[in-house]
Amino acid sequence: MSSLTVLEEPVKFHLSLNVPDLARAVEFYALFFGRAPAKRHDDYAKFELDDPPVVFSLAPHPPGPGASLSHLGLRVASDDTIQTFRARLEAAGVCTQAQAGTTCGYALQNKLWVTDPFGNFWEVYRVEEDVRPEAVRRSTEGKAARTDAESGTSPQTQAVWEHFVTAPPPTRIPHRDAALDEVRLVGTFNADLTDAQRTLLISEAARVLKPGGKLVTHGLMSDRPFPGAQPEVPGLAAMVARVPVQTEPIVQFRRAGFVGVQVTQFTEKAWFTINGVELREVKLIAWKPAPAPATTETRPVLYKGPFARATVDGGHTFERGKRIAVPVAVWEQLRLGPVAEQFLFFEPAAGAPCAT
């Protein structure tokens, strides 16, 4: 009696999504996955993915009430794969949102966000390393809020709190004064918040950050004000409620007392041009200043360039190649800040100079 050969298929995760427009869904997901559907009928479509092993199907039904889907994701092995997704989507005019070094799911991740035509959020992400709950401290309740001593673990170097564009603004960041190393406002200036809510959130960031702590914001910004109403941004319309002018966060950070504001990401090519206004991905970093010491001591610095003259927060002006003395607080701020490589810092003399 002959035996039958049994073909064992690898285990695959299956996900079925209800969509109101099957044709639009197939068009989007064929672009997103970079392949045609394995099956395509008037009432059903299916994508067979090998890496990752997923059976992804679409059914032409409106999402029912009480749906609890938060988002969907693909975990990949490299940043190059994330960039491949991004290039393919943006070449087709689909807007994406990049996040580098963000903390999510108690892990440090690089990721890319995109929405399908029906508002479902997708992330393509790579995990760099796990993050201990004590370093995240997202709430004041539960295990994630325990102190290092209570948890019996060694303290992490960085304590971080993050607000994401889709999250409601807190009336108070759930941390004590001067407790955090970094606060991240990811898309916060694109969220549907009032001026008062944004001002309060930045003020709260100043409260919870340690002296020398870092405030980061990342989002879509414009090169000038819009002549009329805020634009409807394709692809991320469900996430982007407003697009601020690039200088708005800088003004608000300085008004809240932050110093050393620096643009660390500014896409060369505009994502969109709407009514003559260019929209770009921008990332800004600012620091909470250390308290000024009760001393009149000064220390010399020399500005190396690249400009003939530079003025920093606080009004101090430096001419290239000229050595000048500044208060110790300014000296420390420059030495620890983002423009430290543009200066030479002279330590105080170890003793009195010898007489000649």
Side-chain angles (χ1 to χ4, degrees):
M1 184 177 180
S2 60
S3 60
L4 296 176
T5 302
V6 178
L7 298 177
E8 294 188 359
E9 293 278 346
V11 175
K12 287 189 174 184
F13 177 74
H14 170 60
L15 175 66
S16 180
L17 199 63
N18 289 328
V19 295
D21 187 329
L22 184 61
R24 288 183 65 199
V26 169
E27 181 182 7
F28 174 83
Y29 283 108
L31 171 66
F32 182 68
F33 293 129
R35 65 172 62 191
K39 288 185 179 181
R40 173 69 168 90
H41 302 286
D42 292 341
D43 59 352
Y44 178 78
K46 180 183 74 169
F47 291 85
E48 290 272 4
L49 307 180
D50 299 318
D51 185 16
V54 176
V55 178
F56 181 80
S57 60
L58 300 165
H61 303 296
S68 58
L69 179 65
S70 168
H71 67 274
L72 307 104
L74 299 175
R75 189 174 73 181
V76 298
S78 71
D79 291 337
D80 288 342
T81 303
I82 296 176
Q83 291 305 316
T84 299
F85 272 83
R86 183 174 189 174
R88 183 169 67 240
L89 290 164
E90 293 186 357
V94 177
C95 186
T96 64
Q97 174 92 16
Q99 282 183 282
T102 186
T103 301
C104 179
Y106 296 97
L108 188 64
Q109 304 176 4
N110 295 333
K111 63 177 62 183
L112 182 76
W113 286 97
V114 66
T115 54
D116 73 4
F118 317 108
N120 295 303
F121 292 111
W122 276 87
E123 62 172 344
V124 182
Y125 67 99
R126 180 180 72 84
V127 173
E128 290 191 353
E129 62 183 7
D130 287 329
V131 176
R132 292 179 180 174
E134 295 78 22
V136 180
R137 309 170 193 260
R138 287 187 177 273
S139 70
T140 55
E141 299 177 355
K143 295 180 179 179
R146 295 183 302 176
T147 64
D148 298 321
E150 291 170 340
S151 64
T153 61
S154 301
Q156 284 281 308
T157 347
Q158 297 288 311
V160 179
W161 182 86
E162 180 177 288
H163 175 265
F164 190 63
V165 59
T166 55
T171 55
R172 183 179 185 277
I173 295 179
H175 297 281
R176 67 183 187 275
D177 295 359
L180 301 182
D181 299 288
E182 185 174 338
V183 170
R184 299 171 183 166
L185 305 180
V186 183
T188 301
F189 282 86
N190 297 130
D192 187 16
L193 306 181
T194 65
D195 291 341
Q197 287 173 321
R198 277 189 297 274
T199 299
L200 176 61
L201 194 52
I202 296 170
S203 174
E204 276 292 288
R207 178 185 65 81
V208 299
L209 281 170
K210 300 173 183 176
K214 183 166 62 175
L215 176 62
V216 181
T217 191
H218 187 195
L220 198 63
M221 303 183 194
S222 64
D223 63 340
R224 72 190 81 170
F226 284 96
Q230 288 287 316
E232 293 186 3
V233 183
L236 285 182
M239 297 174 68
V240 175
R242 66 184 294 272
V243 181
V245 178
Q246 296 153 7
T247 54
E248 179 185 319
I250 297 175
V251 171
Q252 293 203 18
F253 287 177
R254 286 176 172 165
R255 190 178 297 156
F258 288 94
V259 298
V261 183
Q262 181 185 26
V263 178
T264 61
Q265 184 174 351
F266 187 87
T267 51
E268 181 178 352
K269 182 180 178 182
W271 279 8
F272 306 101
T273 300
I274 303 175
N275 295 331
V277 180
E278 295 184 343
L279 279 61
R280 285 180 170 82
E281 181 184 358
V282 180
K283 185 175 183 179
L284 298 167
I285 298 178
W287 278 263
K288 179 178 177 178
T295 177
T296 57
E297 180 187 353
T298 61
R299 292 184 185 176
V301 297
L302 184 146
Y303 176 57
K304 298 187 295 182
F307 306 106
R309 179 178 298 175
T311 301
V312 300
D313 292 310
H316 293 275
T317 299
F318 303 89
E319 294 183 7
R320 184 173 56 204
K322 185 176 181 180
R323 174 171 167 167
I324 65 170
V326 295
V328 172
V330 176
W331 191 90
E332 289 286 357
Q333 177 187 320
L334 291 171
R335 187 175 65 88
L336 300 175
V339 295
E341 292 185 356
Q342 299 177 14
F343 288 84
L344 290 177
F345 299 90
F346 301 94
E347 295 285 350
C354 298
T356 57

